Amino acid sequence: MMAAAPGPSTTADSLSSHSIFQSTSKARLQALYSDFARQKQSNPSAFHANVEWWRKTLEGLLDSGLLRGTVGDSESRLVLQADRSLLDCVKLDKIGKPLAIGTVINELRSNNTLLLLNEFMSSKVSVYDSGWLPYRIASFVVGRPLWWALEQVGIVGDEGILTSSSQTKETVWWGDYVSLPLVEKAADAVMSMQAMRMTGPADTLYTFEGFRRSFGPIFGESNHLLNDMDARVLVKYLERERKAMILDDQVVKFFDSSVALEDRVITTVDRGILELKSAILDLQHQIDAVQTKMDDYAKKAADALRQKRKILALGFLRSRKQLEDLLGKRLSSLSTLEGTMVSIETAAGDVQIMKTFESSTTTLRTILAHSSLQRENINQTMDALAEASQDAKEVDDAIRIGGNVALGVEISDEEIERELEALAKDVENSSDTLQTLEQLRPPSVLVETTDATDKVPLLSH
């Protein structure tokens, strides 16, 4: 069942309290709500400033949930429903409806801020590939003079969007639009959340419903379930633009950026792991539900006892006991399944480790097979290195000897030996001289002080 859009009065109250409206003066709001389409030619700066204000406003309102439409099975946070209901949603008291909202939508389409939902979902080309939209190709092919002529006869509109006889200028901008900045922001949040969960192969796999449930909190609500269309938009963006996952038969699998595109497939093993993961999650939910019922029966039994209704209290306790037995069985089954999951993830990890070993072995053998690492080459290289070292030593000796000759210095070993013996004799003579002087030093003279026990030696001069 599709959710109904919020009523005009409720939305008007919410808009008036939104920060972007509170920070904008009434005169400015009146200008923004006027038909400023003609300013594109007469005053381009003011025109683009107005469009930019509306871009931020529409994104802020959609992201905060104030422009919730009926796209999908619940409120959408990524897809803008642009039609007459949008005019009612952004209507302000004493100001009215925005007369240039169609112009704003078309401008945001022209710079890929807003993308038609059906084109976004069906395109095989990335949204970042310029020219992926039909009207952008047409605007490139058709020359500006011819385009101006077509505008004059009403074949194309002022906003640069091709029109048909079945659509009027007032409704040509109607449609469901993907907000690319909000999708990029949501995709970043999904990737960040997924990175924190990665502990094993099972953490890369989700059913489509599991994806909606697991990543609902990216909008700030812990128990939020992603809108069906929002989830499909996110999966399409992450698959096509980010190359981070694939969707195959309601199975979503995340991939590391290092995995080649041709290897990004969902195998039979992946589906088996996902079935086991889903069974574990179902059991956990059952256990939580049984525990909640047990707590409820215990509370009812206590209330019955306080009311002196012993038989009723016994009935509640009996029901609680039955649930306790059921809880024990479910916990046992959960323990078995979780043990199986651990074994599977261990085996998967071992496979990855063996692949790494194989790759490393191949790499090492490739390096060792290099011609420069063959034994003959190694021996030749080491011999050449020894010869080069010997040559370097001979060159160094020749340079040193040549330098001494150039300076007229000729040093012999005998001369050095004689100098060493003379130095030793000098040292010995110096020691004898010091000893003789010490023997010739006169004895010290003791001088008595006022204290008879203290005597100070007085050296004679």
Side-chain angles (χ1 to χ4, degrees):
M1 181 176 180
M2 294 188 297
S9 59
T10 304
T11 306
D13 294 338
S14 302
L15 289 178
S16 62
S17 62
H18 197 276
S19 59
I20 196 166
F21 288 92
Q22 289 183 339
S23 60
T24 306
S25 65
K26 184 176 181 180
R28 174 67 174 146
L29 287 174
Q30 289 175 341
L32 291 165
Y33 272 66
S34 66
D35 186 1
F36 54 81
R38 295 297 177 183
Q39 287 184 341
K40 187 173 184 178
Q41 285 77 33
S42 61
N43 192 351
S45 298
F47 175 83
H48 291 298
N50 292 344
V51 171
E52 178 63 15
W53 185 92
W54 273 109
R55 181 193 66 79
K56 294 180 179 179
T57 300
L58 292 176
E59 286 179 10
L61 296 177
L62 185 62
D63 188 36
S64 62
L66 294 177
L67 288 183
R68 295 176 179 178
T70 58
V71 181
D73 58 347
S74 60
E75 297 85 356
S76 175
R77 299 290 188 88
L78 303 177
V79 181
L80 174 67
Q81 184 180 1
D83 52 22
R84 184 174 289 107
S85 63
L86 176 61
L87 296 173
D88 295 331
C89 286
V90 296
K91 178 181 178 181
L92 291 178
D93 294 339
K94 300 181 180 179
I95 293 180
K97 300 178 180 180
L99 301 180
I101 194 66
T103 300
V104 171
I105 297 295
N106 288 328
E107 279 295 315
L108 296 180
R109 282 188 63 189
S110 68
N111 58 27
N112 275 13
T113 299
L114 292 180
L115 313 170
L116 272 174
L117 177 61
N118 59 348
E119 292 178 349
F120 178 87
M121 296 301 296
S122 62
S123 177
K124 303 298 182 182
V125 183
S126 171
V127 298
Y128 301 114
D129 185 359
S130 59
W132 81 290
L133 295 178
Y135 72 88
R136 290 178 68 88
I137 298 175
S139 63
F140 176 77
V141 174
V142 179
R144 294 309 300 173
L146 177 57
W147 191 272
W148 177 85
L150 294 176
E151 286 181 357
Q152 305 309 306
V153 297
I155 297 178
V156 298
D158 294 334
E159 296 82 10
I161 304 299
L162 293 174
T163 60
S164 65
S165 58
S166 61
Q167 291 180 310
T168 64
K169 187 176 180 179
E170 287 74 21
T171 63
V172 69
W173 54 272
W174 286 15
D176 295 328
Y177 296 94
V178 175
S179 174
L180 185 57
L182 294 183
V183 173
E184 293 170 339
K185 177 182 174 182
D188 290 339
V190 168
M191 295 303 296
S192 176
M193 187 177 295
Q194 175 63 20
M196 292 187 293
R197 292 177 177 174
M198 286 293 294
T199 58
D203 297 316
T204 64
L205 296 164
Y206 299 87
T207 62
F208 185 74
E209 290 302 315
F211 179 86
R212 294 179 60 192
R213 188 184 311 110
S214 299
F215 295 101
I218 62 173
F219 292 120
E221 302 171 17
S222 58
N223 296 323
H224 181 73
L225 180 68
L226 276 179
N227 169 273
D228 179 78
M229 185 52 66
D230 284 353
R232 295 188 183 280
V233 167
L234 268 176
V235 169
K236 175 62 71 174
Y237 179 83
L238 289 169
E239 180 180 11
R240 185 179 59 206
E241 273 70 37
R242 296 285 181 91
K243 302 294 189 296
M245 65 162 59
I246 62 172
L247 173 65
D248 182 13
D249 192 21
Q250 300 299 303
V251 176
V252 176
K253 182 177 181 180
F254 284 88
F255 287 94
D256 187 79
S257 58
S258 61
V259 179
L261 294 178
E262 58 271 17
D263 295 333
R264 300 188 179 195
V265 295
I266 296 177
T267 64
T268 304
V269 174
D270 291 332
R271 296 185 186 277
I273 293 176
L274 184 58
E275 288 180 4
L276 182 57
K277 178 181 178 180
S278 299
I280 291 175
L281 291 175
D282 290 341
L283 266 179
Q284 290 173 341
H285 293 152
Q286 291 180 30
I287 289 171
D288 292 340
V290 170
Q291 186 63 58
T292 300
K293 287 183 179 180
M294 289 175 59
D295 295 340
D296 185 51
Y297 280 134
K299 182 177 181 299
K300 289 181 178 178
D303 292 340
L305 282 177
R306 282 192 291 267
Q307 298 173 8
K308 310 295 184 182
R309 304 170 70 179
K310 183 178 179 180
I311 297 177
L312 186 60
L314 288 174
F316 286 136
L317 290 177
R318 188 175 295 107
S319 298
R320 186 182 185 281
K321 183 61 177 177
Q322 293 173 348
L323 288 175
E324 187 176 348
D325 294 338
L326 176 61
L327 180 63
K329 295 178 180 178
R330 292 291 182 266
L331 287 173
S332 178
S333 300
L334 178 61
S335 177
T336 301
L337 291 179
E338 287 180 337
T340 304
M341 178 63 78
V342 170
S343 299
I344 291 175
E345 291 185 336
T346 301
D350 292 341
V351 170
Q352 187 62 40
I353 291 173
M354 290 306 299
K355 287 183 178 179
T356 304
F357 285 164
E358 292 174 0
S359 176
S360 301
T361 301
T362 302
T363 303
L364 181 58
R365 289 188 181 280
T366 302
I367 294 174
L368 293 176
H370 195 274
S371 59
S372 62
L373 296 180
Q374 299 304 308
R375 182 169 296 277
E376 294 180 359
N377 289 334
I378 293 175
N379 293 335
Q380 291 177 1
T381 301
M382 298 308 297
D383 291 343
L385 179 61
E387 292 178 1
S389 299
Q390 182 62 34
D391 292 342
K393 183 176 181 304
E394 293 178 356
V395 170
D396 181 68
D397 292 342
I399 293 175
R400 180 165 51 82
I401 295 172
N404 292 334
V405 171
L407 294 174
V409 178
E410 184 175 355
I411 302 174
S412 64
D413 293 338
E414 292 79 4
E415 184 178 353
I416 293 177
E417 288 291 338
R418 287 195 297 272
E419 289 186 5
L420 180 61
E421 291 177 0
L423 181 61
K425 290 180 180 180
D426 291 342
V427 171
E428 183 178 357
N429 294 334
S430 298
S431 299
D432 294 340
T433 302
L434 289 174
Q435 186 175 3
T436 303
L437 291 174
E438 189 66 28
Q439 292 175 353
L440 296 176
R441 185 184 302 275
S444 302
V445 179
L446 297 178
V447 179
E448 295 186 357
T449 61
T450 55
D451 188 349
T453 61
D454 296 332
K455 294 183 179 180
V456 179
L458 178 63
L459 297 179
S460 47
H461 298 279

